[in-house]
Amino acid sequence: MYPKILKSIALRSPVFGPIVIERDRLRQEVAQFSVERGRSVPELSGVMNPGYCHCCRQQTVFEIKGSWLRDQYLCSNCFSIPRQRHIQHVLDTYFQGWEEKNVHESSPSNELISRYCASYSSSQYFEGVAEGTFFNGVRCENLESLTFPDHTFDIFITQDVFEHIFDPARAASEITRVLKPGGVHVFTAPKHKGLRKSYPRARLQGNQIEYLLEESYHGNPVGDGKALVTWDYGDDFEELMNSWSGSTTTTYIIRDRSLGIDGEYLEVFVTRKKGDME
């Protein structure tokens, strides 16, 4: 409250008024520079803008909570983050009627997609639990050896999962197998700028993990909350996905603050199985 009062007084002052106006102008330029670079800077924490959220499907206010927009640019209503809003924007825009399809999501961390889809199912991977069985009400599935029959799903969704898989080629092939003809794998994964060739960071040797590079972890909705990063993906990621899946991958990328979509690693990838979707 007091900063607003002081600013109002300063704006009426012939000495401080121009200084405050110039400060605000510079802040706007910094904000615009941040948009163009795809990230905010610490000074922008607390910046808000109105817009439409595809996750909660209503007008809302988006707020920057920190310098890493990918995880800290939140919808004030559903608390979604940019990559979640982008993946649902892609579904709503390019796959209209997806809510009536048979959808499976691997390793979801929220209910943002399930709330709209009647034929929705999900799974997590639990170490030591038999695949295809349920643990605490959640189905256990390993993307490298799915237990679903061929041609089961119209849409298969993974969000920031493929960078944690030891054998992504096997996983991509398995996802394609369980998709119906014309079905799509809609997913996100960090694709690193300036990295020409993707490479593994760790691999399995029997039951032991061999670390090829320094260990790196992301958050995990199950287990101890940590997920080992096993691959760093670069410019050849789509080419790899095409060869692994035997299908064609399309990349979607936008930056639009009116949709709450801004930050790093915003790509949404869609791999479509050959054939026509029903």
Side-chain angles (χ1 to χ4, degrees):
M1 178 178 178
Y2 290 110
K4 292 182 179 179
I5 294 175
L6 292 174
K7 178 178 178 179
S8 176
I9 294 173
L11 285 171
R12 292 196 293 269
S13 167
V15 176
F16 293 107
I19 296 175
V20 172
I21 292 172
E22 178 64 9
R23 182 203 64 181
D24 289 346
R25 185 188 68 79
L26 290 173
R27 281 181 173 175
Q28 290 178 354
E29 288 185 0
V30 170
Q32 181 60 36
F33 175 77
S34 302
V35 171
E36 294 172 355
R37 289 295 302 272
R39 64 178 71 191
S40 69
V41 294
E43 183 183 354
L44 293 179
S45 181
V47 170
M48 297 182 288
N49 69 275
Y52 178 81
C53 175
H54 276 269
C55 287
C56 56
R57 293 186 170 179
Q58 60 182 306
Q59 296 296 321
T60 187
V61 173
F62 301 110
E63 182 174 2
I64 296 174
K65 293 290 189 178
S67 61
W68 185 242
L69 267 67
R70 191 173 196 260
D71 295 320
Q72 296 176 311
Y73 184 31
L74 306 181
C75 170
S76 60
N77 181 55
C78 67
F79 304 106
S80 61
I81 57 178
R83 63 175 171 81
Q84 294 165 348
R85 295 190 285 270
H86 192 198
I87 206 167
Q88 293 201 212
H89 171 263
V90 168
L91 288 171
D92 291 345
T93 303
Y94 301 102
F95 302 97
Q96 294 181 15
W98 67 268
E99 303 92 337
E100 306 302 320
K101 300 295 184 180
N102 195 351
V103 176
H104 185 82
E105 185 172 14
S106 172
S107 305
S109 59
N110 54 62
E111 299 179 349
L112 297 175
I113 291 176
S114 63
R115 65 177 65 176
Y116 301 115
C117 185
S119 297
Y120 173 93
S121 62
S122 65
S123 60
Q124 300 278 357
Y125 176 69
F126 302 102
E127 189 172 357
V129 176
E131 296 164 18
T133 65
F134 286 79
F135 177 72
N136 291 335
V138 180
R139 183 173 180 132
C140 177
E141 288 288 345
N142 183 343
L143 285 177
E144 297 176 21
S145 54
L146 294 169
T147 65
F148 301 110
D150 296 357
H151 309 158
T152 299
F153 303 109
D154 298 296
I155 300 173
F156 200 107
I157 296 171
T158 62
Q159 299 192 49
D160 282 20
V161 172
F162 260 67
E163 69 271 29
H164 303 295
I165 299 173
F166 285 106
D167 192 347
R170 180 72 178 272
S173 176
E174 275 291 277
I175 291 173
T176 302
R177 178 184 66 79
V178 302
L179 282 172
K180 297 177 183 178
V184 290
H185 175 204
V186 182
F187 62 107
T188 61
K191 178 180 175 181
H192 298 274
K193 294 179 180 178
L195 180 61
R196 297 296 303 273
K197 187 176 179 61
S198 304
Y199 53 80
R201 299 181 61 91
R203 62 189 177 193
L204 277 180
Q205 296 281 38
N207 293 323
Q208 299 296 316
I209 299 175
E210 179 185 359
Y211 299 99
L212 306 175
L213 295 168
E214 182 180 357
E215 296 175 45
S216 178
Y217 294 88
H218 294 165
N220 190 346
V222 299
D224 62 2
K226 297 193 304 180
L228 176 69
V229 179
T230 55
W231 275 79
D232 282 344
Y233 296 117
D235 294 341
D236 61 344
F237 182 45
E238 291 91 334
E239 182 180 348
L240 287 174
M241 286 299 300
N242 291 345
S243 64
W244 293 339
S245 66
S247 304
T248 301
T249 301
T250 301
T251 305
Y252 297 89
I253 178 68
I254 65 168
R255 299 188 191 279
D256 187 341
R257 289 265 178 118
S258 71
L259 297 175
I261 301 174
D262 197 2
E264 291 291 334
Y265 307 126
L266 289 179
E267 293 90 347
V268 171
F269 305 97
V270 176
T271 301
R272 182 184 291 274
K273 185 174 181 177
K274 295 177 182 178
D276 296 322
M277 182 180 287
E278 296 179 359

